Amino acid sequence: MNALMPMQTTVGNSTVNIVIFAVFVAITLAIVIRASRNNRTAADYYAGGRAFTGRQNGIAIAGDYLSAASFLGIAGAIALNGYDGFLYSIGFLVAWLVALLLVAELLRNTGRFTMADVLSFRLRQGPVRTAAAISTLTVSFFYLLAQMAGAGGLVSLLLGIEGVNAQRVVIAIVGVIMVFYVLVGGMKGTTWVQIVKAVLLIIGAAVMTVWVLVKYDVNLSHLLQGAIDNSPKAGENILGPGLQYGKTETTQLDFVSLGLALVLGTAGLPHVLMRFYTVPTSKDARKSVAWAIWLIGFFYLFTLVLGYGAAALVGPEKIAAAPGKVNSAAPLLAFELGGEVLLGLISAVAFATILAVVAGLTITASASFAHDVYANVIKKGTVTPEREVRVARITALVIGAVAIVGGIFANGQNVAFLVALAFAIAASANLPTILYSLFWKRFNTRGALWSIYGGLISALVLIVFSPVVSGKPAGPDGKSLSMFTDTSVDFHWFPLDNPGIVSIPLGFFLGWLGSVTSKERSDPDRYAEMEVRSLTGAGAEKAVHH
């Protein structure tokens, strides 16, 4: 769901948009350059020197978590499907509670820089770190593809740029800016970009929410009535469940599967988990989660007003007919409320959102390779921190190049499947292993490997052979709604769009099966040490300077 489809709008002024975009990029580049002056150690580069307060990190977590589709995608889903669209907001918010209650503070206390630090704490380092790094890179890569392709579509079309080659140039420019953020700023620069973006996004959404409510005399009933009146096809059904997911038993099952992936996937997303390493104490970790949950909660309440506001003031027909379809709801509402200037500002916020999320993903993926694979598997821990950071920067360059090429190929594709895949993999491969590592004494290396690879492969296979990739019926334009737009191409045999309902339980089952069938016994002393450290934070500082 955390994707942004290529978006075009027939309203607005491209000159205004270009000026606003340029001002935003200039400000964030200045912030990144200023933040980079203190990047000296590996802890500075990966974890911002653990120098951020709970409040700052909480705002940055909100910035990392609220991606462009949280803003554009959910508002559009509510405008078209009402109650069923709002279920996305509820799913993302509940997911955050799972991350808070089960993994956030425990991970902060146990690890150093990456998820694999926790998984390999009491298991065999080499194979577990490699598996965790492969999973992290896979999730990050598919997330990056979706964001890059979305950025290309959004920016080029908002700036009035036509033609495939021009869009490719825009994707390349976005990629270069993103790589610059990460290379120069490290986690510090990235965090400040995320803080700025979170503040802009929440203020922008709040202003639009208040504006919509004022138009309806600050009366939610009047707003909902306006949405009913302006939605002739749906009518009163827009306020009740079933418009999108109540059609058949398959769609109902698909909703359960999507819900599982959303709610459980967040707690296994590497770029969200890595944010917990940027605070100095477990108390700050708790504080940052409290800040993040308030900000994220308010934001998702705003989406309810924005979605129904778009239905009432713009209308589902006009939204569905716009080139960006669902994702054009929020910008069309902005234009309806405040004309060209508000449209330009909201579009710039959407662009800022993509940049911040992409930078967070890039630093996570580069840290995972440099810290887990290079430093601990290839060099067996004998590498200097300076060398490790240099490898991380080179990796960021490679990831940036791959993301640019992938984004160019994915441009114009149905990128939503890439994000569904990222969530499904995170929930299937990462979450079972994290929970078993933290809470199950008997868990061992074979269980970890079976869980990660089993969840990863099953999620990948089921998505490839799902209707998301091939076999969906033709849309209004005569093309299939699948990734392969040719209606004659159909190799799907898995009926659901999201594999979560199968691959997530399979990941948990394989983790259990691998552990109980292996003769390896995990070290009880290491488990006891991990338990004490995860619950109290005692010894975590030693791990930091280790």
Side-chain angles (χ1 to χ4, degrees):
M1 176 61 207
N2 262 18
L4 176 62
M5 304 292 280
M7 201 193 97
Q8 177 178 355
T9 180
T10 51
V11 292
N13 181 326
S14 59
T15 311
V16 173
N17 292 339
I18 288 171
V19 171
I20 294 172
F21 274 44
V23 168
F24 174 77
V25 171
I27 291 169
T28 50
L29 286 178
I31 291 169
V32 166
I33 292 166
R34 179 130 192 247
S36 70
R37 289 175 186 166
N38 300 321
N39 270 350
R40 295 189 184 90
T41 65
D44 285 334
Y45 186 77
Y46 293 139
R50 290 184 169 72
F52 288 96
T53 65
R55 182 174 60 201
Q56 288 170 337
N57 193 45
I59 298 170
I61 288 171
D64 220 357
Y65 191 66
L66 298 171
S67 83
S70 292
F71 181 42
L72 302 179
I74 294 177
I78 294 170
L80 267 60
N81 297 308
Y83 184 95
D84 281 17
F86 189 52
L87 291 171
Y88 278 108
S89 289
I90 295 167
F92 282 130
L93 186 56
V94 173
W96 186 240
L97 294 172
V98 174
L100 158 67
L101 295 171
L102 290 179
V103 299
E105 189 185 336
L106 304 179
L107 274 182
R108 152 71 192 65
N109 291 341
T110 314
R112 291 175 67 213
F113 302 133
T114 65
M115 183 179 76
D117 286 339
V118 180
L119 303 186
S120 63
F121 188 85
R122 61 191 183 92
L123 307 175
R124 289 210 309 277
Q125 290 261 342
V128 173
R129 279 191 186 276
T130 305
I134 288 171
S135 173
T136 296
L137 289 166
T138 308
V139 173
S140 301
F141 175 68
F142 283 105
Y143 232 114
L144 269 173
L145 277 194
Q147 299 291 337
M148 294 293 280
L154 174 76
V155 180
S156 57
L157 293 162
L158 274 170
L159 301 187
I161 299 168
E162 296 298 330
V164 176
N165 288 334
Q167 291 192 20
R168 288 174 177 170
V169 171
V170 170
I171 290 174
I173 292 168
V174 170
V176 169
I177 296 170
M178 171 263 293
V179 170
F180 182 85
Y181 283 167
V182 174
L183 283 185
V184 175
M187 183 54 101
K188 265 190 189 149
T190 301
T191 300
W192 282 113
V193 171
Q194 285 164 344
I195 288 171
V196 170
K197 165 251 155 155
V199 170
L200 287 175
L201 181 64
I202 291 166
I203 288 174
V207 166
M208 285 175 67
T209 300
V210 171
W211 204 324
V212 168
L213 287 173
V214 167
K215 270 192 177 291
Y216 288 93
D217 308 320
V218 198
N219 188 320
L220 199 58
S221 298
H222 291 176
L223 169 62
L224 296 177
Q225 188 60 49
I228 293 170
D229 295 343
N230 210 12
S231 306
K233 280 189 187 168
E236 289 193 358
N237 290 337
I238 201 166
L239 301 186
L243 263 186
Q244 186 175 2
Y245 290 111
K247 293 170 187 165
T248 64
E249 285 185 6
T250 306
T251 57
Q252 290 171 358
L253 197 61
D254 215 352
F255 175 69
V256 175
S257 193
L258 175 72
L260 271 174
L262 291 183
V263 170
L264 298 177
T266 302
L269 287 176
H271 67 291
V272 173
L273 297 177
M274 195 168 169
R275 289 238 50 89
F276 294 115
Y277 299 130
T278 63
V279 289
T281 65
S282 50
K283 185 182 174 187
D284 284 312
R286 281 195 298 275
K287 192 174 174 185
S288 62
V289 168
W291 268 90
I293 230 161
W294 278 107
L295 293 171
I296 290 165
F298 275 122
F299 178 83
Y300 284 132
L301 283 176
F302 295 156
T303 60
L304 184 66
V305 176
L306 295 178
Y308 279 119
L313 294 169
V314 182
E317 275 70 23
K318 193 173 170 187
I319 293 166
K325 295 189 172 64
V326 172
N327 295 310
S328 60
L332 286 173
L333 176 61
F335 185 74
E336 198 73 31
L337 293 171
E340 289 175 359
V341 175
L342 188 62
L343 173 71
L345 288 169
I346 292 303
S347 303
V349 168
F351 178 57
T353 297
I354 295 169
L355 274 181
V357 172
V358 160
L361 286 164
T362 307
I363 197 159
T364 302
S366 63
S368 183
F369 179 81
H371 181 65
D372 296 328
V373 179
Y374 177 76
N376 285 294
V377 177
I378 298 172
K379 292 292 185 182
K380 306 260 188 302
T382 59
V383 68
T384 63
E386 292 75 21
R387 175 75 186 153
E388 192 181 313
V389 170
R390 197 175 313 131
V391 170
R393 288 192 160 122
I394 294 167
T395 311
L397 275 174
V398 173
I399 291 166
V402 170
I404 289 168
V405 173
I408 287 169
F409 277 105
N411 192 26
Q413 293 282 9
N414 176 355
V415 292
F417 103 97
L418 299 169
V419 167
L421 183 52
F423 266 84
I425 291 171
S428 309
N430 296 350
L431 186 64
T433 323
I434 290 169
L435 294 182
Y436 282 146
S437 291
L438 290 170
F439 298 112
W440 188 26
K441 199 173 189 174
R442 176 85 170 75
F443 193 55
N444 55 34
T445 305
R446 182 195 279 182
L449 298 180
W450 283 22
S451 175
I452 293 174
Y453 288 128
L456 184 68
I457 292 164
S458 63
L460 281 167
V461 168
L462 291 178
I463 288 237
V464 167
F465 293 104
S466 78
V468 167
V469 176
S470 71
K472 279 193 179 179
D477 57 359
K479 292 181 177 178
S480 168
L481 298 170
S482 301
M483 191 188 178
F484 283 100
T485 53
D486 186 346
T487 48
S488 64
V489 177
D490 181 7
F491 49 83
H492 91 277
W493 46 260
F494 184 67
L496 306 180
D497 282 5
N498 196 292
I501 202 165
V502 175
S503 60
I504 297 170
L506 187 64
F508 277 100
F509 172 72
L510 289 172
W512 170 81
L513 187 66
S515 295
V516 297
T517 56
S518 168
K519 290 186 176 134
E520 179 195 349
R521 289 278 179 272
S522 60
D523 184 344
D525 294 338
R526 291 292 277 174
Y527 177 74
E529 185 187 341
M530 184 172 181
E531 193 171 36
V532 170
R533 185 180 289 186
S534 67
L535 293 172
T536 66
E541 288 307 307
K542 192 167 62 179
V544 171
H545 300 297
H546 166 58

